[in-house]
Amino acid sequence: MTLILTDVTLTYPDGDTRLTALDRVSLDVPAGTLTAVVGPSGSGKSSLLAVAATLVTPDHGHVVVAGTQTDGLSSADKAALRRDHVGIIFQQPHLLPSLTAVEQLQVMTHLSRRSVRASRPRALDLLDAVGLADKADRRPHQLSGGQRQRINIARALMNEPAVLLVDEPTSALDHERGAAVLDLLLGLTRERSTATVMVTHDRAHLDRVDGTVGMEDGRLSVSTPV
Ligand code: ADP
Ligand code: MG
């Protein structure tokens, strides 16, 4: 299962005119690979992820998520597609302060109307996969920034997404922790065969990803060597 964007253009209202956030963007991300999209602030990276996630409908172009052509889908169908097939890792973890680490993951199951109690083994397995097996009962204030980001990543994998979209996951971390988070994302992409897109303004650590494309003023450039 892959993620395919074809000739996607997205504009936002901007006074009397419109601002072009994405300009004829095409991107094909095979399962089990991680593509990095690198560009400065304001170049359209988050917009690209929002369109890939079907959170925002582009003006033109096509988005295929895990084999489903999303043109013309109702918002309910898009919500169901996101819930079942898309994992989104936002820049900020947005953890719920009152929940323990394992409960943060189990909330995802609640949203998909599966049994929350039955989800505990999977949540614990994912915490183990991100190196937090021994922190399952901690609440966010008892965890470091890097640990909270790992929970954010594990939570996005709870519903076994085919497509994983990651927005600047290392921006709030130091160099060493940033490298560890990228290693983790690469390992999970391979193990769980996700089609992963990671956007970042930071070219550090990108030597091991499967592909790197540059983004500037809403346009993607051909693969650039890191
Ligand atoms: P990046 O993630 O690379 O910083 P964004 O995708 O957030 O870039 O933004 C791309 C451009 O679109 C910027 O000029 C930004 O100001 C503009 N933009 C983003 N979101 C909106 C919005 N909801 N309404 C209007 N303009 C927006
Ligand atoms: Mg952004």
Side-chain angles (χ1 to χ4, degrees):
M1 290 299 195
T2 59
L3 170 69
I4 306 169
L5 273 63
T6 310
D7 215 12
V8 168
T9 295
L10 174 71
T11 65
Y12 296 113
D14 184 36
D16 293 335
T17 63
R18 299 189 71 86
L19 182 151
T20 302
L22 296 174
D23 190 358
R24 307 196 62 174
V25 165
S26 296
L27 188 65
D28 188 338
V29 186
T33 67
L34 188 155
T35 297
V37 176
V38 190
S41 176
S43 59
K45 304 182 299 297
S46 293
S47 298
L48 175 76
L49 294 186
V51 167
T54 76
L55 287 165
V56 172
T57 305
D59 304 39
H60 303 287
H62 309 285
V63 180
V64 177
V65 174
T68 300
Q69 169 66 253
T70 65
D71 301 6
L73 284 188
S74 69
S75 40
D77 286 344
K78 284 181 186 171
L81 181 74
R82 282 196 296 277
R83 186 191 65 211
D84 294 335
H85 297 296
V86 182
I88 308 177
I89 300 171
F90 293 107
Q91 212 164 339
Q92 296 300 325
H94 298 299
L95 301 180
L96 298 163
S98 62
L99 300 187
T100 65
V102 68
E103 288 166 350
Q104 308 280 346
L105 273 60
Q106 290 182 273
V107 165
M108 299 302 288
T109 311
H110 183 66
L111 298 177
S112 68
R113 300 203 191 96
R114 296 187 219 167
S115 157
V116 172
R117 195 176 306 166
S119 71
R120 193 173 164 90
R122 176 165 174 79
L124 290 171
D125 173 58
L126 278 166
L127 285 181
D128 189 29
V130 301
L132 292 176
D134 59 335
K135 305 284 189 292
D137 296 319
R138 298 247 182 132
R139 293 178 209 282
H141 71 274
Q142 300 167 311
L143 296 163
S144 70
Q147 290 167 340
R148 288 197 287 265
Q149 185 59 295
R150 283 166 181 269
I151 290 172
N152 191 19
I153 292 168
R155 181 177 56 183
L157 292 163
M158 251 326 256
N159 293 337
E160 300 174 66
V163 170
L164 189 60
L165 304 170
V166 196
D167 200 346
E168 309 221 22
T170 61
S171 62
L173 303 176
D174 63 32
H175 191 82
E176 199 176 319
R177 288 201 185 88
V181 162
L182 184 60
D183 277 341
L184 177 62
L185 287 169
L186 274 169
L188 293 167
T189 296
R190 307 269 192 267
E191 274 164 33
R192 288 157 206 265
S193 279
T194 56
T196 305
V197 181
M198 182 186 83
V199 306
T200 178
H201 66 267
D202 172 9
R203 300 189 76 86
H205 322 303
L206 294 184
D207 44 328
R208 285 156 301 142
V209 305
D210 298 294
T212 304
V213 288
M215 177 156 236
E216 200 156 336
D217 291 337
R219 279 187 291 273
L220 282 191
S221 58
V222 200
S223 294
T224 46
V226 186

